[in-house]
Amino acid sequence: MDSPETAQVTISTTTSAIDSPPVQDSPFFNYASNLSPIKPVKTTHVAQISGFSSPPIVFKSPRTKQHSETNVLKRSQCLQSSFTEASQNVDRGNKCIVDSGQSTTLCQQGLIIETQKDEVDEFFETHPCSSSGCINEFLADLEDEDCENSYSATPSLKHSNDALGSSQSPSNNSKETTLKFGDKNGMGADAGTELEVLLVSLEQAKKDIQGEPKSDAEPIKIEEEKNDSEWPSNECPNIRIGVHVGHASKKHECLDSLAQSIESGCQTDADGTSKPLPLPSQIAQTYKDHSEDVGAVSDGIVENIVRQGYKAFENFGVRRRCLQYEEAHLNTIGDSDSSLNLANTVDSLELSSSATELETSELCHVDSKATSSEQHIVNLPQSTATLLHPRYCDKLSVLSKPLGIGLHLNSIVNASPMNYTATASKKSADQNVGPQGMSSSMTDYNLLENTKSCSMSVTTVKQVSACDGETNVIKALIVASSAISELPPIVQEHYAAPDDNRKSNSQNADSLEEHDPPSPRKKRKKTANSVGFEGCKRCNCRKSKCLKLYCDCFAAGIYCSDSCACQDCFNKSEYEDTIRETREQIESRNPLAFAPKIVQRIPKLPPNNGEDGNQSTPSSARHKRGCNCKKSMCLKKYCECYQAHVGCSSGCRCEGCQNIFGKKEEYVAMEHGVSREMVSNRACKELLESPSEPDIEETNRDSLCTELFNPHYLTPVTPSFRHSDHGKHAPKSRLLSIRNLSSPDDLSILPSNEKSTKSSPRDLEESHILLETSELLNECSHDWQADYDTGAVGSVSSRCDVVSHMRDLTQLSDTPPISMISSTLFRRKDNRNVPQNQLSHGIDRLSSSGTLQWHGSPLTPMTKLSGTKSHQGHDLDSGSGHNDILENEMPVKISSPNKKRVSPPRGHSHVRELGSGSLGGLRSGRKFILKSVPSFPPLTPCTDSKGSTGTQTTYKLEENSDKK
DNA sequence: GAGTTTGAAACT
DNA sequence: CAGTTTCAAACTC
């Protein structure tokens, strides 16, 4: 904190370390690369992902039950050490003293969670691929250095420290009520906040304990007992998952550690380093509750502390795990120096695991081995994290995002809407696993799911915390855990198969299958029962040999697992060649055959639509090609849209659509309406003046113009929109953007004449608007993150509401605006000292100066704007922000003007020309080509790591050198 | 659990 | 590109 220089140095070191080893060097990526004919694309992705490579690693194969058990102890120790360290640091660092009242305020404001995300982001940015050394340093700092140094050691920590510092002064002055969590960069100091809260509790505990020294030792035991009895007593047995972080097995140690920490804190306090601090309301309450006896008092306090501490340090632990996992990944990448670091990393990783993870590990597994090397796995309690903390959600989302652009329907969880959230999260965990990379298709959905579930959970937490502080937070956690609890047994099945040795496992699985082939029916039934939760598809193919798109597994780009009931299955690792050939063949017919089927679109329906479907599903998501239902009325799973929990769209050819997630008619109507609304300032005027749009005049002009500044309405800024709007009024190309280009379908939709860019003066004005918007984004990037995580449109600041909306568009839907903004703004504002990555950070949260980006996994089909170099201040490989955004924003807008089914170009070449008119970047007259780049990404057997298989197509958007 | 329905995928 | 067939999941009984 006091040594920013140090932090910077660390950062740079980290960055370099990260950058130096190309991700593709990772065994995992090597594997993928070897398989993939199109290395360049992957390479780029990988490189960009490097900073954030973790996702695949973090989320281990769901079907693999990692060595979580062995990690329990270590994890506890880790937590313990973390807590102790933190406590010590706090104690030693005078500056670490935090005003409890402040933290309370924060809690009340619900800022903690929000800020935490930022901090996480920052953390990832700064430690995207934290080198082992860096991590070690980080860890070492915590242990060996005093608060000050340790915090300064790493940016994130530094931020935390800053936060603390900022809070500190207020505490002393009692003037400031709000911490400066999000610094100008929109980076929060959630860690600081978290820590702060903890510290507050500690301080409080110190005081209390000081006053009643005799309770020093006892409280802990009481706490233990209490925990033992208390948690289980909870109606929701699953609370353990969410709340029992670190409690499960090594509770004692942790508690002891906490006790020690508290003790030390008391001592420190005794030294007079700390000031008398007001009791946090919650603690006070606890105190009240237990005021009857001294021991009880301490107990309550300690309990609070412990809980908070666990929570906070669990977060830390998670963060560490993430870092470690990243580190591991780096190591995997082949850093020659990794040996030592590796050991540390492994230790750290192991330490990172926790009893909680044991319980939750099933939800998220990161199979490092499967990933590539002998690395240990990082078991990130994803689900828990996701549900419990925005940062995790954030992270998870981020992590998952890189993996894919869209959702392949086949990867969709067949969950009932009721269970959607839980399922989603679960599934996410499942799917995100696979260091081999799971099918790209799955990822997007995962992202959505993660985001969604996270959002819900986070929102809940937010609300709760805002209302009542700790207790409520705990409740929120409980809620979250409850959601987790709904996780199906099926998942556990998946985890049953360790992924330690992917190959062998797969073989074993195969052997098992061969020797004891479960009856298809049986399995099928099992599948059916677990449909809602299984993270991976389980097929029941009998004739297709699982080598056709009929096979969900194959279509999803994953190996069939032993849980499949398929017969004569060739979708196994040992048939990689066959699979690859088949995939290639299929892709030759339809380059997008393996492309995600579900893509993000601009939320067409009002937030208050009230449709459950919209609530439980990515409202903006749509089936890329649309369904073709004739009899099911889109009310059954026969309908792919319904199955994907998305509404039908204009691209659907369904008859009598009654899709609860959105009827086609509604979509069309809304689309049309929205498109009109979405107009740039100029466009608005023109539209208003346009005789062809008489009805617009009827609409409220003022509002219309006002809406111009709503990010949502920035979208129409695109020429294509204008064209379309002035055109047939058809929903066609409502929002074509760079992003939209990701789908060849979109491209195909656009008439060539529309594709042609009409770069008009308007663009400049539009760009202006975008610039302004971007400024908002810069300022509100922090809020964006929160919004994104929570999925809530509303944000803390009204100003950011706009941003949040925009963000909505950007992240969860077609993000043409962002893309445009990115491309446009960055070019313009770079000179204005507007850190591009900053904006991207705001937009993409993780997009940073090349370390953290949401990059489509090389394993997944994705759109890549490799041709937009000029758009970025950095080269593509550096993975600078907006490019990433473009890449990762899979939303593929597919709207067929004639409502004719938009199907992938049949027999078309992989190259599609994109009209510049629809591209933000095309304003410059560039043309882009969407290339289907067949690759052979490691497919992730969702459960048993049978290895990667099949090829996947990467959709690479390249600038066409031939400009018209 | 068997049979039917459904719609996507594959084929012609 | 439309029509048909194949296929496997979803669904029903």
Side-chain angles (χ1 to χ4, degrees), chain A residues 105 312 350 366 383 452 457 462 465 642 652 695 703 716 784:
Chain A
T105 300
E350 288 178 349
V366 177
S383 298
K452 204 75 183 180
S457 301
K462 263 186 176 180
S465 62
Y642 178 87
C652 296
D695 49 335
S703 65
W784 273 50

Side-chain angles (χ1 to χ4, degrees), chain A residues 225-237:
Chain A
E225 294 174 358
K226 200 160 186 182
N227 285 331
D228 287 340
S229 61
E230 186 174 2
W231 293 114
S233 66
N234 195 306
E235 290 182 357
C236 178

Side-chain angles (χ1 to χ4, degrees), chain A residues 529-837:
Chain A
N529 291 339
S530 60
V531 157
F533 303 99
E534 58 182 336
C536 306
K537 277 283 185 179
R538 283 193 259 168
C539 68
N540 191 32
C541 306
R542 285 163 293 179
K543 297 181 180 179
S544 67
K545 300 180 189 300
C546 298
L547 289 178
K548 295 195 175 185
L549 292 175
Y550 296 128
C551 177
D552 287 343
C553 298
F554 180 79
I558 61 176
Y559 288 126
C560 290
S561 66
D562 55 353
S563 62
C564 293
C566 47
Q567 300 173 359
D568 299 328
C569 179
F570 278 81
N571 188 25
K572 295 179 179 178
S573 59
E574 55 260 47
Y575 302 110
E576 284 184 356
D577 292 340
T578 302
I579 293 169
R580 178 171 50 218
E581 291 174 0
T582 303
R583 286 179 67 95
E584 289 173 353
Q585 183 180 0
I586 293 171
E587 286 179 339
S588 68
R589 286 198 306 261
N590 177 10
L592 298 176
F594 295 95
K597 289 184 177 179
I598 304 301
V599 298
Q600 282 294 339
R601 313 187 98 170
I602 288 177
K604 60 183 195 319
L605 298 176
N608 57 352
N609 182 287
E611 236 178 5
D612 290 344
N614 287 336
Q615 282 184 344
S616 61
T617 67
S619 60
S620 60
R622 285 291 181 277
H623 195 278
K624 188 172 70 175
R625 295 190 308 167
C627 63
N628 191 31
C629 304
K630 297 287 186 292
K631 298 179 180 179
S632 66
M633 293 188 295
C634 302
L635 288 174
K636 298 193 175 183
K637 284 189 173 181
Y638 296 126
C639 175
E640 289 191 348
C641 296
Y642 178 87
Q643 192 174 41
H645 295 91
V646 301
C648 290
S649 64
S650 57
C652 296
R653 295 177 297 159
C654 48
E655 299 175 359
C657 178
Q658 297 294 327
N659 189 340
I660 62 172
F661 299 102
K663 297 177 183 178
K664 180 176 70 177
E665 293 78 9
E666 291 176 353
Y667 181 89
V668 172
M670 180 68 74
E671 195 174 40
H672 186 62
V674 169
S675 65
R676 248 190 270 146
E677 290 174 345
M678 300 163 72
V679 182
S680 68
N681 193 3
R682 180 110 176 218
C684 173
K685 292 178 181 177
E686 290 182 358
L687 288 174
L688 291 174
E689 296 170 355
S690 173
S692 62
E693 298 285 336
D695 49 335
I696 288 179
E697 293 179 354
E698 296 175 358
T699 64
N700 156 359
R701 291 196 181 196
D702 294 340
S703 65
L704 187 62
C705 292
T706 301
E707 288 169 347
L708 294 178
F709 292 91
N710 184 322
H712 277 112
Y713 304 114
L714 292 175
T715 308
V717 171
T718 60
S720 63
F721 161 73
R722 291 194 294 266
H723 281 294
S724 63
D725 202 21
H726 289 291
K728 300 175 183 176
H729 287 262
K732 67 182 172 185
S733 64
R734 176 189 63 181
L735 299 173
L736 282 178
S737 69
I738 293 170
R739 228 193 198 180
N740 293 342
L741 294 176
S742 62
S743 171
D745 291 346
D746 292 341
L747 301 176
S748 63
I749 294 169
L750 281 179
S752 60
N753 59 338
E754 286 188 357
K755 290 177 183 177
S756 64
T757 306
K758 291 187 178 179
S759 60
S760 62
R762 266 186 234 160
D763 293 337
L764 294 177
E765 293 186 2
E766 292 167 357
S767 299
H768 230 51
I769 295 170
L770 292 175
L771 272 174
E772 293 176 358
T773 303
S774 69
E775 290 176 355
L776 290 176
L777 288 174
N778 281 333
E779 295 181 5
C780 299
S781 61
H782 157 262
D783 291 299
W784 273 50
Q785 294 178 358
D787 290 343
Y788 179 81
D789 289 342
T790 59
V793 175
S795 61
V796 174
S797 77
S798 60
R799 198 174 189 187
C800 293
D801 286 343
V802 175
V803 175
S804 66
H805 285 289
M806 201 161 187
R807 180 173 195 154
D808 234 14
L809 288 176
T810 305
Q811 307 249 350
L812 296 178
S813 66
D814 303 280
T815 46
I818 295 301
S819 299
M820 294 172 63
I821 291 170
S822 299
S823 61
T824 303
L825 290 181
F826 289 145
R827 282 180 299 194
R828 294 187 171 206
K829 295 202 78 174
D830 280 349
N831 295 335
R832 295 169 63 178
N833 246 357
V834 176
Q836 175 175 338
N837 59 350

Side-chain angles (χ1 to χ4, degrees), chain A residues 846-861:
Chain A
L846 290 182
S847 300
S848 68
S849 54
T851 51
L852 288 180
Q853 291 99 13
W854 287 353
H855 290 279
S857 166
L859 309 177
T860 68

Side-chain angles (χ1 to χ4, degrees), chain A residues 49-71:
Chain A
I49 294 170
S50 63
F52 217 58
S53 53
S54 32
I57 299 172
V58 171
F59 306 110
K60 298 235 162 203
S61 173
R63 294 180 182 175
T64 61
K65 198 152 192 170
Q66 297 297 338
H67 51 286
S68 27
E69 295 180 1
T70 59
N71 292 335

Side-chain angles (χ1 to χ4, degrees), chain A residues 67-82 246 249-250 253-254 320-321 324 343 345-355 357-358 376:
Chain A
H67 51 286
S68 27
E69 295 180 1
T70 59
N71 292 335
V72 172
L73 176 60
K74 292 177 179 178
R75 172 61 184 317
S76 301
Q77 293 172 345
C78 179
L79 287 174
Q80 174 182 343
S81 63
S82 298
S249 21
K250 288 301 175 179
E253 292 180 77
C254 292
R320 277 193 181 185
R321 283 196 294 277
Q324 291 159 358
T345 300
V346 170
D347 291 342
S348 299
L349 292 176
E350 288 178 349
L351 289 173
S352 295
S353 26
S354 67
E357 288 175 359
L358 254 184
H376 283 263

